[in-house]
Amino acid sequence: MRILVAGNSGQVACSLAELSSEKCEIIAVGRPELDLLDASSISAAIERTAPTLIINAAAYTAVDQAESDEAAAFALNCDGADQLAVAAAAGSIPLIHISTDYVFDGKGETAYREADPVAPSSIYGKSKLAGEQAVLAAQPLSLIVRTAWVVSPFGKNFCKTMLRLAQEHPKLRVVDDQIGSPTYAPHLAAALVEMGSLAVAKKHDAPWGIYHLANRGSASWCEVAKQTMTAAEKAGLASVPVEAITTAEFPTPAPRPANSRLDCGKAEANFGIVLADWKSAIDDCVQRLARQ
């Protein structure tokens, strides 16, 4: 099996690339060789790699910046995703498209299921929802995988920020009234490859559509920060106390969903996939960062 990954610098793309093996070759390609805004580069990358599956791990992810840069967010998250899906469909190549919890408004009281009404409140969320819709319309052989609160040893993310701030401040003040589903990119990447392999094997008979994938359990950002500090102390890194604050005390240009919990039961039912507990995922992430 050969997987072409659109993107080569993001957390999920890097996590996918390190899974490449003789059994499953994973080729992560970023700009300019594969630019979602350039249809010819997409076609060339597909022709060059001849993949059996494509995973779209490229996206505009600057959530706050998107509020003042709507055109750029929609160009990559919707138009670019659409062009990739069109090219995948032309070659009859199944596609996994990564999406986000931001397609929901966060006002629900329980973990969100795939069929729950979507109502994004940010430009980023709206652009990602538009991308989901475009991909499903262009390539029916698609898995839309919504995930949330991604952390990893790669790129910029919450865990790395907390570890850095712990070296600079005697205390961390972190929002405690936003609840979500922390997701460790290496765990997500392994699940994407497994889902993709199973779906490709069944092809037209596979249960294509929208899925949620995140590590098991839920937490507030404050709880994730505390777990990060606990793991940091065990790993010999700087660790400081964490104080809970409200969203109102930490305003951002883009509104954050108060409830970002994702119900991942559909992925378990259709593919038998369950990710590890989020606490063990954070511990693993911090251990890897400590070794670096």
Side-chain angles (χ1 to χ4, degrees), residues 136-148:
L136 287 172
Q139 170 55 311
L141 304 182
S142 290
L143 297 173
I144 306 293
V145 177
R146 294 175 182 151
T147 192

Side-chain angles (χ1 to χ4, degrees), residues 109-281:
E109 297 295 323
T110 58
Y112 283 100
R113 296 182 177 181
E114 291 81 355
D116 286 338
V118 289
S121 54
S122 66
I123 296 298
Y124 168 71
K126 291 173 182 176
S127 70
K128 291 296 289 183
L129 177 59
E132 287 186 7
Q133 295 166 341
V135 166
L136 287 172
Q139 170 55 311
L141 304 182
S142 290
L143 297 173
I144 306 293
V145 177
R146 294 175 182 151
T147 192
W149 293 24
V150 178
V151 299
S152 73
F154 311 108
K156 295 179 180 179
N157 61 71
F158 183 79
C159 259
K160 292 177 79 173
T161 298
M162 292 301 102
L163 293 173
R164 175 178 57 80
L165 291 176
Q167 295 177 318
E168 303 169 357
H169 301 279
K171 179 175 65 176
L172 303 179
R173 302 177 74 245
V174 183
V175 170
D176 197 36
D177 57 358
Q178 294 172 23
I179 311 297
S181 300
T183 308
Y184 187 40
H187 290 174
L188 174 64
L192 292 174
V193 171
E194 185 177 352
M195 282 180 75
S197 299
L198 293 168
V200 166
K202 292 185 177 181
K203 203 150 187 185
H204 293 283
D205 294 325
W208 304 103
I210 300 173
Y211 289 85
H212 292 169
L213 269 182
N215 280 95
R216 195 168 66 251
S218 60
S220 70
W221 285 117
C222 185
E223 289 172 317
V224 178
K226 288 179 177 178
Q227 186 67 29
T228 302
M229 290 299 100
T230 298
E233 185 175 13
K234 291 178 182 177
L237 302 176
S239 177
V240 298
V242 180
E243 176 187 331
I245 63 172
T246 65
T247 298
E249 293 176 85
F250 190 74
T252 55
R256 265 50 175 185
N259 172 27
S260 280
R261 290 174 294 165
L262 297 177
D263 183 320
C264 303
K266 184 179 175 183
E268 180 179 6
N270 287 358
F271 291 98
I273 291 174
V274 180
L275 273 62
D277 176 80
W278 73 267
K279 289 185 177 180
S280 65

